[in-house]
């Protein structure tokens, strides 16, 4: 996961927290967090990177819309990241 940008990691967290969201659903959810607009030219290339690196799988919902789902590699990477962060920060 250290090969991902912060934005890509944020996308991965959002996808992991939803049941096969569309790209638009991922965008809407992340825009609530960043309090700003995320344009398609930034969103979809980064989603494609996650797919190409096998953190996420992509499939068709209909002829114009795709879903995104976290893979086991993506889920394990999030677990490892959380363990690593836990070494440095305790929020208890």
């Amino acid at each position: 996961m250290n090969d991902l940008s912060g934005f890509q990691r944020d996308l991965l967290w959002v996808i992991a927290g939803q049941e096969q969201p569309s790209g638009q659903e991922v965008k809407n959810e992340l825009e609530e967090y960043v309090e700003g607009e995320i344009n398609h030219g930034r969103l979809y290339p980064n989603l494609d990177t996650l797919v190409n690196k096998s953190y996420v799988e992509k499939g068709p919902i209909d002829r114009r819309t795709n879903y995104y789902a976290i893979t086991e590699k993506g889920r394990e990477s999030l677990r490892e990241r959380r363990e690593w962060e836990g070494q440095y920060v305790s929020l208890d």
Side-chain angles (χ1 to χ4, degrees):
M1 178 180 271
N2 61 354
D3 61 335
L4 300 180
S5 70
F7 182 70
Q8 290 165 342
R9 285 192 299 269
D10 289 347
L11 291 172
L12 193 56
W13 284 109
V14 169
I15 292 166
Q18 297 186 2
E19 184 71 29
Q20 296 186 338
S22 68
Q24 186 64 42
E25 290 169 329
V26 172
K27 176 183 178 292
N28 292 343
E29 188 70 27
L30 195 52
E31 283 177 341
E32 288 183 29
Y33 174 70
V34 299
E35 297 180 6
E37 187 174 339
I38 298 168
N39 67 45
H40 293 280
R42 181 177 185 204
L43 176 67
Y44 289 100
N46 281 286
L47 287 171
D48 287 341
T49 296
L50 293 175
V51 170
N52 292 337
K53 292 184 177 202
S54 300
Y55 291 106
V56 169
E57 67 181 22
K58 174 172 118 175
I61 293 175
D62 58 38
R63 291 174 48 172
R64 296 186 57 201
T65 309
N66 290 313
Y67 72 81
Y68 296 87
I70 191 162
T71 62
E72 187 54 40
K73 176 183 176 179
R75 193 170 305 287
E76 182 60 30
S77 295
L78 290 176
R79 278 190 213 102
E80 290 172 3
R81 176 69 182 210
R82 201 166 259 172
E83 286 177 21
W84 178 80
E85 290 172 346
Q87 295 178 74
Y88 302 102
V89 176
S90 175
L91 301 175
D92 297 329

